Amino acid sequence: MLKTQLTASELPALWITQLSLLCVAAYYYGARVWIVGAIAALTCFVLNFFCVCLRRLPFQFSNLDAVSTGFTLALMMPASVPYDILIISCFAAIIIGKQIFGGRQNLLFPPAAVGYLFAVASWPEDILRFPELYTRLPLTPSVSVPLKESLSAAYNTAGVLNTDPDVLWLGLCRGPMGTTAGLLLLVCCIILLIRRRISRPAVSGAILMLCINYLILPTSTAPIDAMFNGLLTNMSLFCVIYLIGDSRLAPKGFAGVLFGALIAAAGIYFTLIAKLEYGFVIAAVLASPIGTALRRDTARKESEKESAQAQQA
């Protein structure tokens, strides 16, 4: 059986980075951001706890990975997301994306990605439209403020990003509330890589594939600008960190590099060709079974190597 769980030391580091992203979103949209994050984290935790108890398994600290799933899902949502849609999305993430395949020991897809895609397919108008920055949203279950498409959607349609670079680096644009602050995401990525809380091979392969493709693909902007635009729009960097870099799913070693590069290549196709601002989320879900196969192959080879060494000894 493959080890697909987070250790006790990995979870707090993930929570800290996710909470820092929620802090930035709360600065732009108000206290409703904290309610969205709390609802998602608590709902995912309760559902996961119930499923573990239903299967008569001991509840361990690693089962708190459901809290991280809730934070990830919340950060992919608009700050205006209705609470009922958020809760139903958490059900899809934990029940369909995780427990139906056997829980954390047999994880096949990134649960947050499953919940998000379920929400997009069911309520696209509520998930893919966003309030303007500095709009203090009411704390009510649903809000009635003007909503518009994200900067990523406009960029995908026009092919040109007519805005100051600071907009992307500081997150001064409409979009999912935790995925637009490029500078903070970069800091979170570096911290988690240094502390080995996310898969280094998968993240390295994904970023390398993204940079190479955005540098060489024909574009109306300078190659360097196109590379940064590609990394900082369409939830690209966020997905690299919290979906592709998920240590529960990414294979080890060179297989992890291939895994990350494969998802990045598919994500580029979905965003540049299909014009989907959530293309990297789709790619992460579609490629995850390949990651499972690579992990099993790596585990088999490691087992054979250990058996051979034991026989020689």
Side-chain angles (χ1 to χ4, degrees):
M1 185 176 293
L2 294 173
K3 180 182 178 182
T4 55
Q5 66 184 55
L6 296 171
T7 64
S9 61
E10 288 176 321
L11 284 172
L14 286 171
W15 294 339
I16 289 171
T17 60
Q18 291 169 327
L19 288 172
S20 67
L21 292 168
L22 284 172
C23 282
V24 174
Y27 173 77
Y28 292 138
Y29 299 110
R32 192 177 199 275
V33 168
W34 291 114
I35 296 179
V36 169
I39 288 175
L42 183 60
T43 303
C44 287
F45 168 76
V46 171
L47 288 172
N48 194 60
F49 180 81
F50 176 77
C51 290
V52 170
C53 293
L54 193 64
R55 295 170 60 196
R56 298 182 179 179
L57 297 174
F59 190 85
Q60 302 174 350
F61 185 89
S62 55
N63 291 116
L64 291 175
D65 62 349
V67 174
S68 180
T69 295
F71 283 144
T72 300
L73 180 58
L75 290 168
M76 297 165 71
M77 295 287 184
S80 57
V81 61
Y83 296 154
D84 57 344
I85 291 178
L86 179 64
I87 292 172
I88 295 172
S89 301
C90 292
F91 270 82
I94 299 300
I95 304 301
I96 301 176
K98 184 178 182 181
Q99 293 296 338
I100 199 172
F101 298 103
R104 60 181 172 82
Q105 294 288 358
N106 296 283
L107 206 59
L108 186 61
F109 302 109
V114 174
Y116 177 79
L117 292 180
F118 179 85
V120 169
S122 304
W123 305 280
E125 288 296 316
D126 293 291
I127 304 301
L128 299 178
R129 296 179 67 81
F130 308 89
E132 290 286 358
L133 256 68
Y134 302 111
T135 301
R136 294 297 164 182
L137 301 175
L139 306 183
T140 53
S142 60
V143 298
S144 58
V145 300
L147 303 176
K148 299 180 181 179
E149 67 176 6
S150 68
L151 179 66
S152 295
Y155 176 52
N156 294 340
T157 301
V160 178
L161 196 61
N162 296 318
T163 187
D164 190 87
D166 290 346
V167 168
L168 294 178
W169 286 111
L170 300 178
L172 300 172
C173 56
R174 293 186 304 273
M177 61 183 187
T179 70
T180 58
L183 184 59
L184 180 56
L185 282 170
L186 185 60
V187 172
C188 292
C189 182
I190 293 173
I191 291 173
L192 292 174
L193 285 173
I194 292 175
R195 296 181 61 84
R196 299 179 183 273
R197 301 306 182 241
I198 55 178
S199 171
R200 287 183 175 182
V203 170
S204 300
I207 292 179
L208 184 62
M209 176 63 72
L210 287 170
C211 291
I212 291 175
N213 275 273
Y214 285 125
L215 283 173
I216 64 176
L217 288 173
T219 178
S220 57
T221 59
I224 295 296
D225 292 337
M227 182 186 73
F228 283 120
N229 292 346
L231 284 172
L232 302 179
T233 58
N234 295 301
M235 297 195 288
S236 304
L237 188 54
F238 180 89
C239 289
V240 167
I241 300 170
Y242 296 105
L243 298 184
I244 301 175
D246 192 334
S247 58
R248 300 172 298 175
L249 293 164
K252 297 179 180 179
F254 185 67
V257 177
L258 293 178
F259 174 71
L262 174 64
I263 297 180
I268 291 171
Y269 168 81
F270 285 122
T271 54
L272 296 184
I273 306 300
K275 308 296 184 183
L276 296 175
E277 57 191 295
Y278 50 92
F280 284 92
V281 185
I282 297 177
V285 170
L286 293 179
S288 289
I290 299 176
T292 299
L294 290 173
R295 290 201 320 277
R296 288 175 176 169
D297 183 64
T298 301
R300 178 183 58 81
K301 290 180 179 179
E302 289 179 352
S303 178
E304 291 176 352
K305 183 178 180 180
E306 291 175 357
S307 299
Q309 290 175 348
Q311 291 177 359
Q312 291 177 358

